[in-house]
Amino acid sequence: MKLPSLNIQIILGAIFGVVIGLYFHTLGAEAVPVKGGLYAAGLIGTLFIDLLKMILIPLVFCSITVGIANLRQHQQMHRVWVSTLVFFIASMAFAITLALIAGNYFSPGAGMQLAMFDSAMQNFEAKQLPLPEFFAQFLHSLFINPFAALSQGNVIAVVMFALILGIALVMGGERYKNVLSLLQEGLEVSMQIVGWVMRLAPFGIMALLIKLVAVQDLAMLNTLAKFVAVVMGTTLLHGVVVLPLILYLITGKSPLWFWRGAREALVTAFATSSSSATLPITLRCATQHLHVKPEIAGFVIPLGATINMDGTALYEAAAALFIANLAGIELNLAQQLIVFFTAMIAAMGAPGIPSAGMVTMVMVLQSVGLPAEAIAILLPIDRLLDTLRTTVNVEGDMVGSLVVQKLIK
Ligand code: ASP
């Protein structure tokens, strides 16, 4: 019997995952088959993420170094840098603007009171995260001993070292050609391993979604329904209309063509809630399905996975407005502008792991004097909201690689 294509298997895995998760939810977490099922789902889901994380660091390291080295040979480095950063900042600015418009228009949280959530907030102590300190810390984390960065799986520091090494290899020219070809082969062999890990993807994704759906706290979701609807609605608007429109206007590529090529990565991002764990698959989709040149994808996508987060930026701004409403504080235009900038910095600084956005959100709240403990209200529903925002984060990286490829032509 011929198996359906991997793409179809992944979609089927996702659908089965949600259906089985819902079934488990109705049975209740204490039922014996549910306990066993969740245990198995936990094992398989974690194994899938572990395998992705295993290959992540060698892949990022080789792909950036080789990408930079190849770009420099074509004298295009400068244009790639500039267009990548401009795209990242512009697309996050669009996302935050959407969140601010929707938040002001629908005012989720208005009419509710912070006091309703007192007990949730009591158990939560917000860590101080003032902007200047956060910035200093972020800067400090960029450049560390590359061996420590590689062994700790510190993606952003690996990205930085790989950039520098790539430039050094080009400067050295012929002298370092062996190191370069070693890394080139490293990249190829890493992609080969990613191909193997992908065979597990349908099961991994199914397992992750079973767990996610089965343990969802529906009561809290109900209380916060309006906020959840506004966040999901605007995130979808950004992912389904804004990003595809930017893609179409700049490259002429149709959204359907894009989604067909990108869906393996999008579904994985949804199930794992981690741009970093998804990164090996994002690179694979960009180079193999969307035909982005490896030297461009190899640069734009790993960098994007760590700093370009449209969904997270949108969420941070929306949540700040929501908490302001709960606290009965009206944010004026200047304060909303502060939210705009801090949300962007907070999103850039958030690592690509589940719920990272919640940690850096403390900074956004504190910047306009909102109670950071209020984050405790959003924690129970965060895993659910994280699915969609991570998907849009990853979508933004792939759109970015196509846009940059077109702009430097
Ligand atoms: N989970 C998101 C990501 O990996 C980050 C966040 O929490 O917003 O892209």
Side-chain angles (χ1 to χ4, degrees):
M1 192 184 77
K2 198 170 161 304
L3 282 176
S5 73
L6 187 61
N7 254 319
I8 304 287
Q9 288 178 34
I10 287 178
I11 307 273
L12 286 176
I15 295 173
F16 279 128
V18 172
V19 172
I20 298 173
L22 284 173
Y23 178 62
F24 280 5
H25 199 103
T26 52
L27 289 184
E30 290 311 309
V32 177
V34 174
K35 273 191 179 157
L38 285 183
Y39 177 71
L43 282 186
I44 298 172
T46 314
L47 180 70
F48 176 56
I49 293 189
D50 285 346
L51 286 168
L52 286 172
K53 288 209 293 213
M54 174 189 80
I55 195 62
L56 171 69
I57 292 291
L59 179 64
V60 167
F61 180 62
C62 297
S63 99
I64 295 209
T65 318
V66 171
I68 297 292
N70 287 338
L71 279 175
R72 286 284 299 219
Q73 279 160 4
H74 305 147
Q75 311 280 308
Q76 288 165 322
M77 197 51 225
H78 178 66
R79 293 186 69 179
V80 175
W81 257 116
V82 175
S83 29
T84 304
L85 289 183
V86 169
F87 174 84
F88 286 175
I89 292 176
S91 66
M92 280 194 278
F94 275 122
I96 300 174
T97 310
L98 270 184
L100 291 178
I101 293 175
N104 281 299
Y105 186 76
F106 294 105
S107 320
M112 290 160 89
Q113 268 160 17
L114 211 49
M116 285 167 62
F117 303 99
D118 265 355
S119 64
M121 281 158 46
Q122 259 163 20
N123 302 324
F124 183 86
E125 204 190 327
K127 248 177 69 192
Q128 282 287 323
L129 210 60
L131 185 60
E133 232 169 77
F134 176 77
F135 184 70
Q137 249 183 34
F138 180 67
L139 206 66
H140 191 60
S141 68
L142 294 182
F143 305 101
I144 66 172
N145 167 4
F147 296 101
L150 289 167
S151 70
Q152 291 160 5
N154 180 340
V155 184
I156 188 88
V158 170
V159 168
M160 286 303 162
F161 181 73
L163 286 174
I164 298 172
L165 182 64
I167 296 172
L169 288 183
V170 177
M171 296 292 179
E174 275 298 289
R175 257 190 304 163
Y176 305 139
K177 66 176 193 307
N178 292 335
V179 179
L180 185 57
S181 57
L182 179 73
L183 290 169
Q184 176 85 46
E185 285 183 20
L187 175 61
E188 284 163 22
V189 84
S190 302
M191 286 309 281
Q192 164 87 50
I193 296 175
V194 173
W196 292 339
V197 177
M198 282 308 289
R199 305 228 170 150
L200 256 186
F203 303 100
I205 286 167
M206 179 163 84
L208 288 167
L209 289 177
I210 290 177
K211 228 180 147 192
L212 172 70
V213 175
V215 302
Q216 226 10 262
D217 176 358
L218 290 183
M220 200 58 168
L221 204 61
N222 235 342
T223 321
L224 303 178
K226 190 169 174 193
F227 171 67
V228 174
V230 170
V231 169
M232 293 240 174
T234 19
T235 311
L236 273 176
L237 186 69
H238 187 76
V240 177
V241 180
V242 178
L243 284 175
L245 195 67
I246 298 178
L247 178 71
Y248 179 73
L249 291 178
I250 298 183
T251 69
K253 301 280 188 205
S254 88
L256 281 182
W257 171 85
F258 172 75
W259 282 316
R260 216 170 290 139
R263 63 188 161 190
E264 283 175 6
L266 297 179
V267 177
T268 309
F270 187 90
T272 58
S273 285
S274 167
S275 311
S276 290
T278 312
L279 181 49
I281 302 177
T282 319
L283 262 176
R284 183 180 129 107
C285 286
T287 50
Q288 296 184 3
H289 305 329
L290 300 172
H291 312 297
V292 181
K293 287 199 195 111
E295 55 265 35
I296 294 181
F299 171 73
V300 178
I301 290 193
L303 196 65
T306 48
I307 65 170
N308 179 41
M309 300 204 175
D310 294 9
T312 304
L314 188 155
Y315 182 62
E316 307 238 356
L321 290 198
F322 172 68
I323 288 171
N325 282 336
L326 285 183
I329 297 173
E330 182 101 27
L331 294 181
N332 61 27
L333 197 64
Q335 285 169 315
Q336 297 207 16
L337 216 61
I338 296 180
V339 168
F340 182 96
F341 286 111
T342 46
M344 187 169 303
I345 295 172
M348 287 175 139
I353 55 175
S355 292
M358 291 301 278
V359 178
T360 58
M361 197 195 295
V362 173
M363 182 177 79
V364 183
L365 298 181
Q366 285 175 342
S367 72
V368 284
L370 293 170
E373 295 72 27
I375 283 183
I377 303 166
L378 302 176
L379 278 179
I381 54 163
D382 191 56
R383 185 63 181 79
L384 193 73
L385 294 181
D386 204 359
T387 53
L388 206 58
R389 70 174 190 258
T390 308
T391 310
V392 171
N393 288 346
V394 168
E395 179 187 2
D397 301 336
M398 285 186 281
V399 169
S401 67
L402 284 160
V403 166
V404 169
Q405 167 152 283
K406 177 75 186 184
L407 289 180
I408 63 158
K409 255 203 182 141

